[in-house]
């Protein structure tokens, strides 16, 4: 018996329905040219029904833990005037997304895949010290593992505010902070932890470019929970980047020239104080140091809250040069030969010529006296220095000779071995006696002036040695103090 056409049609429809029911669709299956693309199937599987605006946890009471890490690559700029630090860092963060999970066996053993950052949930962790947007490259992808671990690694040019202390310049050590925290979510929603141990983070300098002006010492980390209104609590991770300036450039271009000029100023004290070359030498050094300060003024960091110690050092050196020049001018004025100098006061003789050489072990006094005493007492040598004094003294003595009495003239005759004359002397003899008397008084006056000049020259030499020693002690003490401070700062 042949089946009817109606029964045949029903049987075919049943067979087709059964075949469709037995067909199992694989997860994330695609059609067309992407039918065999595993990554495409996986991407479609992960994005199906995914909500990137919702924190990726199944239980809302569960806090999302974000592990972060920081590696300093380079110190780009340290702006002391504006108190801004510009660094280039490698920033890494990872968290668990409970909605981005799959079975690797269903997708050809694929255990991790890169997804666009715009398609997944990303924590709102920012740096509190940001003051400007740096030129950071855009990394549009994140890595996702099969167990839901999301890794977001990217380089960042960080322009942050930092309190810079330039007092120890150029031996300064700066400590700048980078504070990472969620701007909106409390600790109940997002918590922060370190990806590595603090010890590994502290000593890691593997990617730092160590050829610039600044040297990376270490990176410290500090975890803290704080509250703004005593109601909501936030988690923050603070990284302290400790850097130190390399002072070689500034030592060669700033400190050494200043030290050389100060040494030359000390050497200038060995020039004779009664010569004018010392004053000219000191003035030349002072002008040279002024030009040096004008040149280095642009090199020193400028801030409105403080002055570096090296700036104070330059000012003190300038003041020492001015004091040295003032001392030289006073000594030269004191020992310079003058007309009709007053005698040295007795208290000056006692303090300067008797007590000071003994107390301060000045052994130049006797040598100075012998040197001055050995000068030839010829009249021409004296005329070269005190020609005006000689004329004035001779004229004064002649006037005195004309007024001398007859009794004085007879005493002069007896001194010359001539018999006294009761009669008035002839005019020629009277003139001769007057000239001889004037010459004798002139020589006596010259000897007294020479003695006064010798005493003042002795006072000048002793005071010059004393002031030189005081100046030398001040310069050495100041240099040792600064050198010790800078050495301690360099080692610390």
């Amino acid at each position: 018996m042949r089946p009817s056409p109606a029964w045949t049609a029903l049987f075919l429809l049943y067979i087709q329905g059964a075949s469709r029911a037995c067909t199992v669709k694989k997860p994330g299956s695609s059609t067309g040219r992407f039918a065999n693309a595993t990554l495409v199937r996986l991407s479609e599987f992960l994005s199906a029904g995914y909500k990137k605006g919702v924190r990726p946890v199944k239980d809302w009471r569960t806090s999302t833990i974000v592990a972060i890490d920081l590696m300093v690559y380079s110190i780009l700029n340290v702006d002391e005037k504006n108190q801004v630090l510009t660094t280039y860092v490698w920033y890494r963060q990872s968290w668990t997304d409970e909605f981005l999970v799959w079975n690797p066996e269903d997708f050809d053993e694929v255990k991790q895949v890169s997804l666009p950052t715009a398609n997944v949930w990303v924590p709102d962790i920012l740096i509190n010290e940001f003051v400007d947007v740096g030129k950071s490259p855009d990394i549009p992808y994140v890595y996702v593992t099969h167990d839901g671990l999301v890794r977001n690694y990217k380089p960042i040019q960080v322009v942050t505010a930092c309190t810079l202390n330039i007092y120890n310049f150029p031996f300064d050590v700066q400590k700048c902070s980078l504070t990472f925290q969620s701007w909106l979510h409390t600790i109940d929603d997002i918590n922060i932890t370190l990806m590595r141990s603090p010890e590994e983070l502290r000593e890691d300098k593997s990617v730092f470019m160590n050829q610039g002006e600044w040297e990376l010492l270490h990176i410290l980390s500090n975890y803290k929970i704080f509250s703004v209104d005593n109601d909501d609590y936030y988690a923050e991770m603070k990284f302290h980047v400790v850097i130190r300036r390399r002072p070689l450039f500034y030592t060669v271009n700033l400190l050494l020239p200043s030290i050389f000029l100060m040494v030359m100023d000390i050497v200038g004290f060995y020039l004779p104080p009664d010569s004018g070359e010392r004053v000219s030498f000191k003035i030349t050094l002072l002008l040279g140091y002024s030009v040096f300060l004008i040149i280095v003024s642009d090199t020193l960091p400028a801030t409105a809250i403080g002055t570096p110690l090296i700036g104070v050092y330059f000012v003190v050196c300038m003041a020492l040069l001015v004091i040295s020049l003032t001392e030289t001018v006073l000594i030269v004025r004191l020992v310079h030969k003058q007309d009709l100098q007053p005698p040295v006061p007795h208290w000056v003789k006692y303090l300067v010529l008797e007590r000071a050489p003994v107390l301060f072990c000045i052994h130049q006094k006797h040598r100075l006296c012998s040197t001055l005493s050995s000068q030839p007492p010829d009249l021409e040598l004296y005329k070269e220095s005190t020609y005006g004094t000689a004329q004035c003294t001779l004229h004064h003595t002649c006037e005195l000779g004309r007024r001398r009495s007859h009794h004085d003239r007879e005493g002069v005759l007896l001194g010359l071995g001539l018999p006294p004359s009761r009669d008035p002397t002839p005019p020629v003899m009277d003139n001769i006696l007057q000239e001889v008397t004037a010459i004798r008084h002139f020589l006596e006056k010259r000897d007294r002036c020479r003695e006064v000049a010798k005493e003042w020259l002795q006072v000048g030499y002793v005071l010059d040695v004393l002031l030189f020693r005081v100046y030398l002690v001040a310069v050495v003490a100041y240099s040792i103090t600064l050198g010790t401070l800078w050495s301690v700062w360099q080692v610390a």
Side-chain angles (χ1 to χ4, degrees), residues 417-452:
L418 299 176
S421 176
R422 296 180 180 179
D423 298 332
T425 57
V428 176
M429 184 61 67
D430 185 65
N431 291 336
I432 293 175
L433 292 177
Q434 290 180 1
E435 294 296 333
V436 170
T437 304
I439 291 173
R440 187 190 69 179
H441 285 283
F442 168 75
L443 295 177
E444 292 176 353
K445 185 69 175 179
R446 186 190 66 177
D447 293 338
R448 287 195 299 269
C449 291
R450 282 188 174 181
E451 292 297 329
V452 172

Side-chain angles (χ1 to χ4, degrees), residues 188-222:
D188 296 330
D189 295 332
I190 293 180
N191 199 358
I192 302 176
T193 184
L194 284 177
M195 190 176 295
R196 296 183 293 173
S197 65
E199 292 75 16
E200 293 177 350
L201 178 66
R202 173 188 174 92
E203 303 299 334
D204 186 14
K205 305 176 186 177
S206 57
V207 300
F208 182 72
M209 294 182 60
N210 200 23
Q211 303 298 327
E213 178 184 355
W214 294 90
E215 175 188 3
L216 177 64
L217 297 182
H218 44 259
I219 302 177
L220 305 176
S221 60
N222 181 28

Side-chain angles (χ1 to χ4, degrees), residues 19-74:
S19 63
R20 290 191 187 133
C22 293
T23 303
V24 179
K25 187 177 179 181
K26 294 183 179 180
S29 62
S30 300
T31 60
R33 57 178 178 173
F34 301 113
N36 297 323
T38 304
L39 296 180
V40 174
R41 292 191 298 109
L42 178 58
S43 176
E44 291 179 352
F45 173 76
L46 295 177
S47 61
Y50 185 82
K51 303 295 183 181
K52 66 176 183 179
V54 180
R55 192 165 58 90
V57 291
K58 296 179 180 179
D59 185 2
W60 66 273
R61 301 177 186 85
T62 303
S63 176
T64 301
I65 299 178
V66 180
I68 63 176
D69 189 23
L70 187 70
M71 303 173 69
V72 179
Y73 182 76
S74 176

Side-chain angles (χ1 to χ4, degrees), residues 166-169 307-314 482 485-486 489:
I166 62 171
Y167 182 75
N168 302 339
F169 175 88
T307 302
L309 182 60
I310 192 173
V312 180
Y313 164 75
F314 289 147
L482 290 181
L485 289 177
W486 283 332
W489 294 334

Side-chain angles (χ1 to χ4, degrees), residues 1-5 7-8:
M1 179 178 178
R2 296 181 61 185
S4 64
W7 285 104
T8 304

